[in-house]
Amino acid sequence: MNGIAVLQARTNSSRLPGKALLPIKGMPLAVLAAKRAANTGRDIIIATSLEPSDDGLVALIQSYGLKCFRGSLENTLDRVVNALSAYNDQTIVFRLTADNVFPDGALLDEVEQEFLDNELEYLCCNGEHSGLPYGMSVEVTRLVHLREAAANSICAFDQEHVTPYVIRKFGATYFQKYKGLKKGHFRCTIDCLDDYLGIQMVFSDVDDLVHEPSFALVNRLEKAPFQPMANAPV
């Protein structure tokens, strides 16, 4: 697989400040999310902001030998596009975030293969539409579409969420290979303290944080705190 992944990370999150730096068995969330996404050899860039509040995050990322780009805090679309200035228009781009540490390289490879096989311009894996927990989140498109979005988006919502312009143009196609698992009512994102504590428990007896398969982690959610007690309709 040849697509490049860009992982958004910042430390000024309001609900759980500094969450990109919070450790899972000693590894910061932003680093863990990046390393898991790259565990099949995919190139990845962590895109953070130019704000002084992210200086520590940048130093940490670099200490792990990961690529880092700094750009606009508020205009995340512009940040992502500028992080990829050296790449050609037809580059396949994955959009990831540091608060979602379950996606791994194997999942990204499967999503990319479906994207190519069906000659798509946008594909999303996440939540109920994919039969997977909220937080198994992967978006993929081509860089040319993100560049067009950056050149034409004046709406703050589009600039913050990166892909709305692309979705309006091509529609929201969902990766549904695992829809039959019916895990869409589970949650593996880290948005608040309860989320963080629950995901810490999921990883508590994992020996290899970077290479543990995504679906092995999903199976552990059923015994994690702050999750539903029984299956819900999806």
Side-chain angles (χ1 to χ4, degrees), residues 24-152:
I24 297 289
K25 297 184 74 172
M27 186 175 292
L29 289 177
V31 172
L32 178 58
K35 283 184 168 289
R36 286 184 54 77
N39 69 9
T40 56
R42 186 179 303 279
D43 286 340
I44 188 163
I45 300 171
I46 300 178
T48 190
S49 86
L50 290 164
E51 296 298 308
S53 59
D54 284 322
D55 289 350
L57 175 60
V58 171
L60 191 63
I61 291 166
Q62 293 174 339
S63 75
Y64 278 88
L66 295 167
K67 297 177 184 177
C68 184
F69 176 84
R70 304 187 76 170
S72 170
L73 174 65
E74 302 297 337
N75 191 338
T76 314
L77 171 59
D78 184 71
R79 189 197 319 166
V80 169
V81 167
N82 286 333
L84 298 169
S85 61
Y87 293 83
N88 68 58
D89 276 351
Q90 292 308 306
T91 300
I92 295 172
V93 180
F94 286 88
R95 176 182 177 245
L96 307 170
T97 58
D99 49 8
N100 295 328
V101 296
F102 274 32
D104 65 356
L107 177 64
L108 269 62
D109 289 348
E110 289 186 273
V111 171
E112 183 171 354
Q113 192 62 60
E114 180 161 321
F115 179 81
L116 292 169
D117 287 348
N118 292 283
E119 300 181 347
L120 299 172
E121 302 300 333
Y122 173 85
L123 181 63
C124 176
C125 172
N126 193 26
E128 289 189 13
H129 291 290
S130 296
L132 297 172
Y134 179 69
M136 282 280 277
S137 180
V138 176
E139 289 183 289
V140 61
T141 187
R142 291 193 184 271
L143 180 53
V144 64
H145 305 318
L146 295 176
R147 285 174 171 161
E148 179 184 337
N152 291 283

Side-chain angles (χ1 to χ4, degrees), residues 182-199:
K182 298 183 179 180
K183 300 283 188 180
H185 58 297
F186 284 99
R187 180 178 177 87
C188 63
T189 195
I190 298 175
D191 190 50
C192 61
L193 181 60
D194 285 353
D195 293 332
Y196 173 59
L197 296 175
I199 299 307

